[in-house]
Amino acid sequence: MAVKKVFIDTDIGDDIDDALAIAMALRAPELEVLGISTVYRNTAARVQLTLHLLKAMGRLDIPVAAGVSRSLSGQGATDAMPHQCRNISKTIPANCSQNGVQLLLDTLHQHPDTWILPLGPLSNIAIAMLLEPETFRNVNIVLMGGAFGAVYPEYNIMCDPEAADIVFHSGAAVQVLGLDVTAPCVPNKEQEQWICSFTEGYRGFLSDLSKIWLETSKSKKVTLHDPLVIAHLLDPTLVEMVSAPVRVITEYGSLRGLTVDMRHPFRMREPLPPENVRYACRVDKERACKMILQGVFGE
């Protein structure tokens, strides 16, 4: 497999899955991570957590930039401290003078073949697209977000529905891994204990973050939402994809942020909008979990 250049956009610090995904991408010889931007709420704290992870992995050469902290509609508490940042006592000097949007655009200018991997709300990506729409016409984007066939919105999309709708209708080649395929990817108890067993190096750092997540989350489990993006990029046979006309509900109300496959609830409407997204509808969860855990923690 040829080496793919990738740019990661992340809301690291809440769920543990962002940190696991970044670690997996850094360890994959098939991927070259060119830059990382943080998004939503306290993006400065998220930068620090990312830098500490990169330091633990010996990769502070990768630029990390703080992106926008609020959604396009102005939502987001910019001073909210992500749970996993609570144990960070030392500040690592910034290794990038740009903001997240600028870093993304400059990366695409220098490397137009870069794959964009959003792991959080899509605010940074949407703003970059509004500034330079032509830059994204032939860009590949693989993101975690949405819930297809569901009657509830997914968190990443719900945090900035307007941004998601811009990305989905940008003309870029957008692939979406929603809760339909990520939610089943849960390590068993033995695997969870293995994740939390490490005490040294970057593995120990990730184990500590995993314990914080297990202590503070309502789910009390590790779900491999974001790492599935990396796994899919490395092995597309893990998930089955379908092409569809997809829109995001941006009207205020209980359905705000819902991702809708226009073929199903509106199948009587003709003509249908053009297909603009490929989304995952099925996953080999056992193989995906094994691949992800080996990719993150294996020798």
Side-chain angles (χ1 to χ4, degrees):
M1 179 184 292
V3 174
K4 286 186 172 72
K5 297 178 175 63
V6 301
F7 184 99
I8 297 174
D9 186 67
T10 176
D11 61 345
I12 187 173
D14 298 320
D15 199 329
I16 180 57
D17 58 335
D18 291 76
L20 297 178
I22 292 170
M24 185 178 181
L26 292 176
R27 296 193 72 225
E30 302 92 338
L31 303 180
E32 179 185 359
V33 181
L34 299 182
I36 301 174
S37 58
T38 62
V39 68
Y40 201 63
R41 293 183 172 167
N42 197 330
T43 55
R46 299 190 198 281
V47 165
Q48 276 300 306
L49 184 57
T50 305
L51 289 172
H52 276 80
L53 174 58
L54 294 185
K55 181 179 180 181
M57 300 191 73
R59 292 305 311 273
L60 282 174
D61 57 298
I62 298 172
V64 183
V68 296
S69 56
R70 297 187 185 276
S71 68
L72 298 192
S73 63
Q75 303 300 308
T78 60
D79 59 347
M81 183 61 66
H83 288 300
Q84 292 167 49
C85 297
R86 69 186 189 186
N87 289 345
I88 293 178
S89 57
K90 296 182 179 180
T91 298
I92 296 178
N95 67 359
C96 180
S97 61
Q98 298 170 294
N99 64 50
V101 174
Q102 290 172 328
L103 179 61
L104 170 59
L105 289 172
D106 282 357
T107 300
L108 289 175
H109 295 161
Q110 297 173 30
H111 305 282
D113 58 339
T114 299
W115 291 63
I116 303 174
L117 310 180
L119 308 178
L122 294 165
S123 315
N124 286 333
I125 315 302
I127 291 173
M129 288 176 166
L130 291 172
L131 290 172
E132 296 187 16
E134 292 301 321
T135 299
F136 291 86
R137 292 302 182 207
N138 298 308
V139 169
N140 286 287
I141 299 175
V142 185
L143 64 94
M144 189 279 138
F148 297 90
V151 292
Y152 52 83
E154 180 273 334
Y155 178 81
N156 286 345
I157 305 300
M158 181 177 62
C159 285
D160 200 339
E162 287 81 7
D165 206 45
I166 288 170
V167 172
F168 285 7
H169 291 92
S170 64
V174 179
Q175 298 183 59
V176 183
L177 304 185
L179 289 179
D180 315 66
V181 296
T182 65
C185 295
V186 178
N188 59 39
K189 280 299 179 183
E190 181 180 350
Q191 291 170 326
E192 183 182 288
Q193 291 172 357
W194 185 60
I195 291 171
C196 296
S197 68
F198 298 96
T199 58
E200 297 180 351
Y202 85 88
R203 294 178 179 86
F205 184 83
L206 290 173
S207 287
D208 288 344
L209 294 186
S210 299
K211 292 171 187 174
I212 293 173
W213 168 248
L214 290 170
E215 291 169 2
T216 58
S217 70
K218 293 181 180 180
S219 69
K220 303 299 179 184
K221 62 183 178 181
V222 173
T223 305
L224 304 174
H225 299 291
D226 293 337
L228 189 60
V229 169
I230 311 302
H232 169 62
L233 202 60
L234 298 173
D235 183 358
T237 69
L238 288 172
V239 300
E240 181 180 337
M241 308 287 288
V242 295
S243 296
V246 173
R247 68 159 293 204
V248 179
I249 294 180
T250 56
E251 294 80 1
Y252 282 87
S254 61
L255 296 183
R256 178 171 163 80
L258 187 69
T259 47
V260 180
D261 181 340
M262 299 290 285
R263 298 172 304 171
H264 300 315
F266 307 112
R267 62 169 56 93
M268 297 303 293
R269 179 180 295 178
E270 296 291 347
L272 281 170
E275 296 173 350
N276 58 318
V277 163
R278 298 188 71 225
Y279 69 83
C281 59
R282 191 171 291 108
V283 63
D284 185 336
K285 62 180 181 180
E286 287 81 11
R287 191 158 63 95
C289 285
K290 183 177 180 180
M291 178 182 177
I292 290 167
L293 295 182
Q294 181 64 29
V296 176
F297 294 100
E299 297 295 339

